[in-house]
Amino acid sequence: MPEIILAGAGVSPPEVQRLRVTVRGAVQGVGYRPFVYRLAAELALPGWVSNTAGGVFIEVEGTPQRLGEFLLRVQQERPPRAAVHSLEAVYLDPAGFTGFAIRESDAGGEKTVLILPDIAVCPDCLRELFDPADRRFRYPFINCTNCGPRFSIIEALPYDRPNTTMRRFALCDDCRAEYEDPRDRRFHAQPIACPVCGPRLALWDRDGRGREVGDAALRQAAVAIRAGAIVALKGLGGFQLLVDARSEEAVQRLRRLKHREEKPFALMYPSLELVRDHCRLSAVEAQLLQSPEAPIVLLRRRTPAAVAPGIAPGNPRLGIMLPYTPLHHLLMADLGFPIVATSGNLAEEPIVTDEHEALVRLGGMADLFLVHDRPIARHVDDSVARVVLDRPLLLRRARGYAPLPVPVPGAPLEDAPVLLAVGGHLKNTIALVTNGQAFVSQHIGTLETQPALEAFERVIVDFGRLYEARPDVVACDAHPDYLSTQFAERTGRRVVKVQHHYAHVLSCMAEHELAAPVLGVSWDGSGDGMDGTVWGGEFLQVTRDGFRRVASFRRFPLPGGEQAVQQPRRAAVGLLFTIFGDALFAMEELAPVVACSPTERQVLRQMLVRGVNTPWCSSVGRLFDVVAALLGLRQRCSFEGQAAMELEFLLDGVGTADAYDLPIVEDRSDGSALLQLDWEPLIRAILRDVRDGTPAPLISARFHNSLVEGIAAAARRAGEERVVLTGGCFQNAYLTERTVERLRQEGFRPYWHQRVPPNDGGLALGQIAAVLRAEAPRGVGVHSTCPPFDGPSNAGHMEATSEEG
Ligand SMILES: [Zn+2]
Ligand SMILES: [Zn+2]
Ligand SMILES: [Zn+2]
């Protein structure tokens, strides 16, 4: 492969980028466009603003710093009568604007009726909620046209009250007068309600016996939490389990009952001020916490934090959200301290939405149930975000974001077939393309339990019904054992199997509206390589009509397959066996060897020698596991990605540019010219460092830096200017930030995820993009290529795979 020198290699100037902002809400006829114009002029940012039925669209170009300032101010300084229901921002390549234009209103707007996400309670309603003179004083279901439930109560379109779960509540005269008055803030507010006519709270014990109703129920629940009880709260999109976050005893009891050993718990704080006291908070993070989307944000804690150690053991960050429903506001105002607010489910099961089901499924966990009689139409978990390089990065896309459409490059025309993508196995989401827009579902979860699988099927039926779309083509992962893949094959539709890491790359490309060619760096725990091995450390060159695997990590065996995913010691033994052979099992100074009993060593040795149940992998996620095991950090995981997370935790405050050697060699073993990143020198250096007593944080930093250098070196060999960073490994902020900096220094243009998760939650979007790419040359929209619903499926015969075959 020719080595190419890119122009401008060296220190890169601040790069000009384009920021696109989509603002939905009451932003028409309130002076929003002139406001945007003035702000852009003040910051000297060229671009344009336009007003459509789908919202206000803004594009501006400038340095990242100026764009960041624009984005903060557009949210903070909006015109007084404007109410923002949703604001989505995405950074794209510059288009070369000169001057700033207010474009004429576009009457077309978005083609499909938009279902808005649930919106955090607005300042006006909040004022009324705490005003003793207001008729909705302390009413936990207060809302208006600018806030309140949407996605979680809609049962059908159009969005009218009879099509929501509010239909059972007949409006009282006062509410009706507001609903019908065009000058009222509640004009046509579909979920409008008040204490006279709307939903009511009740507090139940474990047997479903009523203890209190109305405000007394809420106050009693607060008393119980204060006393250390576990309260199950029927929230917006499902149940949450609440305990006092200051009480280690309550937190440990919740862990025991929820079968959640170590995975961090999310917290809800009563105020931004208290969050600031406990965590370091950037302007972007503060804005994100207070946004209408109100996600859980991973924040760096100040030490010592004033919450129980069992909340997030060993983790320098806390996942924190602010109250977003009136019910949460009332409860948090009564409590005045942070609480655990974790999803109401057993580990790996979907969140519970119905109060009677909650008694059964959460009965063993919760002491009390704070419930209400407004049905939840569908589950919607809390979203999770972190800020990377001053931009939000969604790790779980659900409440506040789903089901807003994501633009797909080359999206089909209105007469195109309907596409369904069923995602992967972990962190599953699905996506539906209809009328030229891609709707990515809310987070569903790992498809491991029967309830999770049922939730998955429910969401598919739900999306089809909401958008009145019957899929013609179903895209899925290429892994034959994924339940999502098996579901796709059962549909009888035409099935397109998409290689896992290719889907990751396409998902990130779709976010950035990038066309080929790009180099995709697709790193995660594991995905089916379609060549009998497990992939996970891939460099994929995306070409006009497919992809080519240009580089990967040297492979190593995983004795026990899936068991090796849960036990880093097994991955370590597998890798070390390829270096040391039988001698390994006598190396008692190695933590992963000591972590195995003599019998276990014997079993592992047999598996490795005979190759029984021992797949080979090129996974960076597993390499993280190996290093964590060598450092004695973790030999067994209680949740996915735990060892890698703990290696990242170690980095807090470590500053070093040192890296181990991670050479790229050419592997001709299978006749291809695949480049390989050889981990052996790196592993040998880590073994030396461990023996010499080098502090673990320093080893972790050197390991991370080697990966960054490995990406830079592979990018130089591939010679593509645009490099896309995707896959679960890029949830790691250190890895992402360092890689972006390093690639920029070398003159490359790096891209990373923003609104769609880098983890498997983003696969469905990538699968959609794969189908559109594969079919584009033949003309998407040719119905004759699709067999009828009941016809035979061609599972496995479609492409969207590697050119290498
Ligand atoms: Zn409101
Ligand atoms: Zn009323
Ligand atoms: Zn993946």
Side-chain angles (χ1 to χ4, degrees):
M1 191 156 307
E3 189 106 31
I4 71 150
I5 308 296
L6 290 162
V11 178
S12 57
E15 200 186 327
V16 169
Q17 288 176 324
R18 173 166 49 123
L19 173 70
R20 176 187 301 160
V21 186
T22 306
V23 190
R24 295 186 174 94
V27 286
Q28 264 103 21
V30 293
Y32 204 85
R33 284 183 302 168
F35 152 71
V36 171
Y37 178 85
R38 278 193 298 273
L39 186 58
E42 191 186 321
L43 295 170
L45 297 171
W48 54 269
V49 56
S50 87
N51 210 340
T52 76
V56 169
F57 292 83
I58 308 166
E59 288 197 350
V60 283
E61 280 182 9
T63 61
Q65 197 205 345
R66 279 285 171 85
L67 295 181
E69 188 180 346
F70 177 86
L71 185 55
L72 280 178
R73 289 181 59 183
V74 91
Q75 293 173 86
Q76 288 161 356
E77 300 172 13
R78 59 175 181 260
R81 284 189 304 124
V84 173
H85 300 169
S86 139
L87 184 144
E88 285 191 299
V90 59
Y91 289 85
L92 303 166
D93 282 344
F97 298 134
T98 52
F100 193 92
I102 297 188
R103 291 192 182 167
E104 283 310 305
S105 294
D106 164 12
E110 278 163 319
K111 296 173 204 94
T112 306
V113 185
L114 210 57
I115 298 173
L116 274 179
D118 300 308
I119 307 160
V121 61
C122 76
D124 289 331
C125 287
L126 209 48
R127 224 168 3 253
E128 293 169 354
L129 183 66
F130 289 102
D131 175 4
D134 193 274
R135 74 186 188 91
R136 292 188 179 87
F137 175 58
R138 286 187 69 85
Y139 180 59
F141 304 97
I142 187 171
N143 66 76
C144 72
T145 44
N146 298 329
C147 73
R150 299 286 187 276
F151 187 44
S152 64
I153 59 164
I154 294 173
E155 292 182 316
L157 289 173
Y159 175 49
D160 285 324
R161 190 167 175 108
N163 285 336
T164 71
T165 63
M166 285 298 291
R167 80 172 156 267
R168 61 160 71 175
F169 302 98
L171 293 181
C172 69
D173 290 345
D174 289 340
C175 286
R176 177 159 300 284
E178 292 169 327
Y179 184 85
E180 290 173 354
D181 180 358
R183 293 157 307 174
D184 196 279
R185 197 173 92 245
R186 296 193 169 87
F187 177 58
H188 279 236
Q190 305 306 339
I192 187 173
C194 79
V196 175
C197 67
R200 257 169 241 223
L201 283 182
L203 188 67
W204 292 356
D205 64 18
R206 285 175 161 197
D207 299 319
R209 274 192 300 264
R211 291 270 197 97
E212 302 281 358
V213 292
D215 201 41
L218 188 129
R219 291 187 189 273
Q220 200 56 49
V223 169
I225 291 171
R226 212 180 268 281
I230 300 174
V231 172
L233 169 86
K234 185 179 177 186
L236 193 57
F239 271 80
Q240 291 169 320
L241 292 166
L242 313 179
V243 296
D244 183 345
R246 303 166 307 175
S247 162
E248 180 68 6
E249 197 187 327
V251 169
Q252 289 305 339
R253 183 165 163 252
L254 180 59
R255 285 210 177 277
R256 241 179 0 259
L257 295 171
K258 201 174 179 319
H259 304 298
R260 181 155 158 150
E261 293 162 45
E262 291 159 308
K263 198 171 177 181
F265 278 136
L267 301 173
M268 184 174 278
Y269 266 63
S271 67
L272 189 68
E273 290 65 43
L274 197 61
V275 178
R276 249 187 238 291
D277 284 350
H278 291 183
C279 297
R280 279 180 271 167
L281 205 56
S282 74
V284 174
E285 287 165 339
Q287 182 62 47
L288 196 54
L289 283 172
Q290 297 171 286
S291 67
E293 293 84 3
I296 296 166
V297 185
L298 303 188
L299 300 171
R300 195 175 291 267
R301 53 169 120 184
R302 298 177 195 276
T303 46
V307 292
I311 302 262
N315 190 333
R317 290 177 183 267
L318 292 174
I320 293 179
M321 61 188 143
L322 288 175
Y324 52 87
T325 67
L327 177 53
H328 288 117
H329 274 280
L330 290 169
L331 188 65
M332 297 312 291
D334 280 7
L335 291 172
F337 55 81
I339 57 170
V340 170
T342 186
S343 40
N345 56 3
L346 268 175
E348 305 304 340
E349 287 192 0
I351 186 168
V352 177
T353 53
D354 175 83
E355 54 271 29
H356 299 285
E357 192 191 347
L359 288 176
V360 178
R361 281 179 55 201
L362 307 179
M365 289 184 253
D367 302 305
L368 289 169
F369 293 77
L370 184 56
V371 299
H372 58 76
D373 50 357
R374 184 178 76 201
I376 296 173
R378 63 186 56 74
H379 87 274
V380 193
D381 287 82
D382 293 316
S383 293
V384 182
R386 78 187 300 180
V387 172
V388 172
L389 290 152
D390 274 330
R391 297 182 196 171
L393 168 70
L394 275 185
L395 303 178
R396 181 161 83 195
R397 183 183 162 93
R399 177 180 51 76
Y401 302 94
L404 287 177
V406 179
V408 181
L413 302 173
E414 283 172 43
D415 60 349
V418 175
L419 308 179
L420 169 70
V422 295
H425 177 69
L426 300 168
K427 299 182 167 72
N428 181 276
T429 61
I430 62 124
L432 184 72
V433 175
T434 178
N435 292 331
Q437 295 188 89
F439 299 93
V440 180
S441 81
Q442 72 273 35
H443 166 84
I444 299 168
T446 301
L447 303 185
E448 214 138 68
T449 61
Q450 192 56 33
L453 194 62
E454 284 164 13
F456 162 81
E457 297 190 4
R458 221 166 26 238
V459 171
I460 290 172
V461 170
D462 184 37
F463 266 53
R465 208 169 39 85
L466 276 179
Y467 297 105
E468 294 178 355
R470 285 162 50 95
D472 301 301
V473 181
V474 181
C476 63
D477 197 273
H479 200 306
D481 298 338
Y482 282 3
L483 295 180
S484 53
T485 305
Q486 292 169 2
F487 172 89
E489 287 172 343
R490 282 199 308 274
T491 59
R493 308 302 215 277
R494 191 160 64 86
V495 172
V496 178
K497 297 189 171 187
V498 184
Q499 199 281 324
H500 189 99
H501 302 92
Y502 179 44
H504 273 309
V505 178
L506 292 181
S507 158
C508 192
M509 286 173 68
E511 271 217 77
H512 290 277
E513 302 177 12
L514 291 180
V518 306
L519 176 67
V521 182
S522 196
W523 287 6
D524 62 4
S526 57
D528 188 282
M530 303 178 82
D531 63 356
T533 71
V534 177
W535 289 13
E538 312 312 317
F539 295 85
L540 307 179
Q541 197 158 29
V542 177
T543 54
R544 219 173 60 82
D545 37 345
F547 74 92
R548 204 168 65 87
R549 189 187 191 201
V550 290
S552 179
F553 275 69
R554 179 176 156 191
R555 288 189 274 262
F556 60 93
L558 292 174
E562 196 50 39
Q563 272 185 299
V565 175
Q566 286 144 19
Q567 300 178 20
R569 58 180 189 158
R570 283 178 177 251
V573 166
L575 180 141
L576 294 171
F577 185 76
T578 62
I579 302 179
F580 301 111
D582 269 345
L584 169 70
F585 296 101
M587 297 167 86
E588 299 257 345
E589 71 277 17
L590 299 182
V593 175
V594 180
C596 300
S597 68
T599 320
E600 285 171 327
R601 288 180 215 172
Q602 198 51 39
V603 172
L604 290 178
R605 192 189 157 272
Q606 288 294 324
M607 293 176 105
L608 287 162
V609 169
R610 296 186 187 159
V612 180
N613 189 20
T614 297
W616 286 67
C617 80
S618 54
S619 156
V620 174
R622 295 291 82 78
L623 194 59
F624 267 91
D625 286 354
V626 170
V627 175
L630 289 177
L631 296 189
L633 203 57
R634 180 151 297 279
Q635 307 299 345
R636 294 163 189 270
C637 292
S638 67
F639 60 91
E640 186 240 339
Q642 187 178 15
M645 262 177 57
E646 288 174 348
L647 270 181
E648 187 189 355
F649 296 165
L650 288 181
L651 298 170
D652 217 37
V654 184
T656 178
D658 286 2
Y660 301 118
D661 193 19
L662 181 60
I664 298 187
V665 296
E666 246 173 72
D667 170 35
R668 293 209 171 78
S669 60
D670 58 355
S672 70
L674 181 67
L675 298 174
Q676 269 191 354
L677 283 78
D678 182 7
W679 35 253
E680 187 167 334
L682 174 149
I683 293 294
R684 286 185 183 274
I686 289 178
L687 290 175
R688 271 195 303 278
D689 269 357
V690 169
R691 201 176 48 228
D692 297 349
T694 307
L698 195 55
I699 297 178
S700 174
R702 287 175 179 164
F703 168 63
H704 277 82
N705 295 343
S706 328
L707 296 177
V708 173
E709 292 306 319
I711 293 173
R716 282 194 298 271
R717 296 286 285 259
E720 286 296 350
E721 186 188 8
R722 298 179 302 171
V723 183
V724 164
L725 309 175
T726 186
C729 292
F730 292 99
Q731 296 176 101
N732 181 318
Y734 182 96
L735 182 66
T736 305
E737 294 184 346
R738 285 269 173 154
T739 304
V740 167
E741 278 168 29
R742 189 75 184 84
L743 288 174
R744 282 187 178 152
Q745 275 171 9
E746 299 244 355
F748 294 101
R749 298 175 69 88
Y751 300 85
W752 64 99
H753 283 270
Q754 308 179 61
R755 293 174 299 167
V756 176
N759 58 46
D760 288 2
L763 284 179
L765 180 65
Q767 292 168 353
I768 290 283
V771 176
L772 294 177
R773 277 170 61 82
E775 314 225 333
R778 299 206 299 274
V780 168
V782 184
H783 278 283
S784 58
T785 61
C786 307
F789 175 41
D790 297 319
S793 115
N794 323 338
H797 299 299
M798 267 297 296
E799 63 322 303
T801 57
S802 162
E803 288 175 3
E804 298 170 320

